[in-house]
Amino acid sequence: MKKVTAYIPKKEDLWYRKHLLNDEQTMTFNHDFGGTINFNEDRWDFWYSKWINTKDHFYAYLINECNKYIGEISYHLDNNKYICSIII
C-alpha cells in the first residue's frame, strides 16, 4: 500500500509551491484565469502568515513514501463556504 502524508511546510520550503504554481502542465486547470501564477520570494512572508499561522486556513504539502513532495492540499472559509484545493 502506498503511503501519502501531509506536511505543513516551513517558509524555506515554499520553493516547492513556487515550482507548482509556475508549472504550465500543473496549472492547466487555471488557464481561464491566467494559467501559471507568480509566487516569487517577495510574496512568501505575507502568504505564509495568512495560510500557515492562522486557524482560518489550512495548507500542507503531500509527501509520498520516498519523502518527495507530490502536491499540495488546502482549504479555507470564503463567504460562509469552505473551499478545498488539491494539486498533484
Side-chain angles (χ1 to χ4, degrees), residues 29-86:
F29 75 91
N30 199 46
H31 177 73
D32 291 346
F33 300 99
T36 61
I37 297 171
N38 175 11
F39 190 62
N40 288 329
E41 290 83 355
D42 61 337
R43 300 178 68 191
W44 292 7
D45 285 336
F46 174 77
W47 183 91
Y48 198 85
S49 66
K50 180 177 180 178
W51 281 89
I52 303 297
N53 294 329
T54 67
K55 55 187 165 185
D56 296 332
H57 293 73
F58 174 80
Y59 179 86
Y61 290 159
L62 295 173
I63 299 177
N64 68 11
E65 66 277 357
C66 297
N67 269 345
K68 297 198 183 233
Y69 300 141
I70 60 168
E72 67 175 22
I73 56 173
S74 66
Y75 68 86
H76 67 284
L77 188 61
D78 185 18
N79 292 324
N80 293 321
K81 296 178 187 173
Y82 279 101
I83 307 296
C84 177
S85 172
I86 301 171

